[in-house]
Amino acid sequence: MRIHHCLQSLLLCCLGLIMASTSAAAPDDLIRIGGDHNYPPYEFINEDGQPDGYNTELTRAIAEVMGMNIEIRLDQWDSMRNNLETGQVDALQGMVLSEDRTRTYAFSPPHAIINQSIFARRGEARVADLAELRGKEVIVQNGGILHDYLLQNRVGANLILVDTHADALRLLASGQHDYALVANLPGLYLERELELSNITPVGQPFGAQHYGYSVLKGNEDLLARFSEGLAILKNTGRQQEIYDKWLGPLEQPGWPWAKIGQITAWISAILLVVLGGIVVWNRMLTRQVSRRTEELKLQQQQLIQADKMTSLGILVSGVAHEINNPSSLLLLNLPVVKDAYQDLETILEEYYEKHGDFDMGGLAYSRMRDEVPRMLDDMLAGTHRIRRIVDDLRDFARQGPADLDEMVDLNDVVATAIRLVDNTIRHATDHFEANYGDNLPAFQGNAQRIEQVVINLIVNACQALESSDRSIRVRTLLTPDRKLRLEVRDQGRGIEADDLSRLSDPFFTTRREQGGTGLGLSVSASIVQEHNGNLTYRSQPGKGTVAILTLPLSQGTPTA
């Protein structure tokens, strides 16, 4: 009995050790990302106590495309730098690159450019150079890039260290000390948000430093994942969307942002001249001229296309009417002819058995008896196809909207279209995703007509996929300029650049051998034009296509 109890105790101990070791050895796939808790609009704690800002949204987007499990922690900047060095966080989502910092940290490609500014109380003289700060009391963030710079270059200012940019600006606005050195956009953002009307930048923005993800040296494998995710977001345009959402409003024209933008542009131009010389500057001008020329050509093509579509619509309407009459006659008579031939088959077979083979239509009956039913079936199928093409032609040639007085919910229209083509979607892909924007305002138009457009876009995306492991993503949103937007994004074969401008041309199709008529997108373009909207496409061969439908809000729709 004692032996039995000993064995039982030993077994329990071993089991406990195994479970403990298994728990200890379990892979910790959680990646801890750190950042500043008060550095808007890049990163900050919002009113709900959650991490927010440009850096935070970008990090979550990278985690999504790379399949990473992350946790974002925001705290005082100097504490976060210490946490990175002690291994309490794995990476920082925003750090300015400097030569001194590269000895300790590794950096990703930049996701923003940070300029610095000198703030003072209104009425103070302008500061042209940091050397003018010698002997002055200067407020700066503890552990920030400017703190590092002032120490390394021995500027000779009396440094007043604070935890955040907001603390620096509040202290300056309260009448204490001489200057505050903060990052340009966060300084402008906080000046506006905190309503600090007695302080202002007193020098041109300077620095223009790269700002991106950082890890301790030796952890470059993790950094490579963030760099790859960032590259994907840049290529798909998602990084630009996040940038415009958070940083775009501060770059909008109008006082005081227009003046700030002009100053930043001049500084950037001077830096480019210094770094690249006249050759780089000339290349930039050449690219600008080329881009403007392409825009003018595109506008001209659109005008020509609009005129062509009007003329073609009138022609097509008449052609469709003329084709419809004989095709209706064929659809009526071919089934009768087929029934008549089936009734004759018995008589023809009896004659064949008694008298042998005979000519029928210039060929032997023994051959024609199998061919005639197939020919009749082919003729009937072809006539049905003619009827479908005529129906598409009618849709394309329809002049003016039938009724555009409904108040339409874009999310409802998209959801209905997805239900209608659910079978097509399920046969095309195992990875379909639909994301609907919250509280989208209605637009004035025709729900059924826009539903036809959405169906065409989704079906085209399904037909573009080469295997079911490729994905299709549908998304609705409200753009910053108050327009409704639908995106249908596929990972299909893509479209050649020369063909993109021809997608809305009637009868143009890359699927002629599979039965495509080239009218679906033409009809869609006409419907969108009726609604004063816009239908555009972005594509790369082998990487997929994005179809973008933009619709204006109806007049009188609330904008807030």
Side-chain angles (χ1 to χ4, degrees), residues 64-189:
E64 178 184 344
V65 299
M66 296 301 295
M68 297 189 294
N69 182 21
I70 65 166
E71 177 187 35
I72 298 176
R73 303 175 182 178
L74 303 185
D75 205 336
Q76 293 181 5
W77 176 245
D78 58 333
S79 298
M80 272 301 161
R81 282 187 63 176
N82 183 64
N83 287 346
L84 178 63
E85 293 172 3
T86 57
Q88 297 179 60
V89 296
D90 303 301
L92 297 180
Q93 60 183 3
M95 178 183 272
V96 171
L97 174 74
S98 70
E99 182 178 355
D100 183 66
R101 286 179 172 180
T102 56
R103 299 187 182 97
T104 306
Y105 309 107
F107 290 83
S108 73
H111 54 68
I113 300 296
I114 299 291
N115 290 284
Q116 311 295 339
S117 281
I118 304 171
F119 277 75
R121 288 178 288 278
R122 291 190 181 275
E124 295 291 334
R126 296 184 63 80
V127 177
D129 190 89
L130 290 178
E132 297 179 27
L133 301 179
R134 178 173 297 277
K136 303 293 185 179
E137 293 185 353
V138 178
I139 312 167
V140 69
Q141 184 182 30
N142 187 17
I145 188 65
L146 288 173
H147 184 198
D148 294 350
Y149 178 85
L150 294 173
L151 292 177
Q152 292 162 11
N153 291 274
R154 299 179 181 178
V155 172
N158 299 321
L159 302 184
I160 312 300
L161 302 183
V162 294
D163 292 327
T164 68
H165 281 32
D167 293 339
L169 295 178
R170 286 195 192 98
L171 198 59
L172 180 66
S174 69
Q176 301 182 58
H177 312 297
D178 299 312
Y179 299 101
L181 263 62
V182 295
N184 187 47
L185 283 184
L188 297 172
Y189 184 96

Side-chain angles (χ1 to χ4, degrees), residues 198-212:
N198 67 329
I199 63 173
T200 186
V202 292
Q204 293 184 347
F206 63 93
Q209 296 154 312
H210 287 180
Y211 182 66

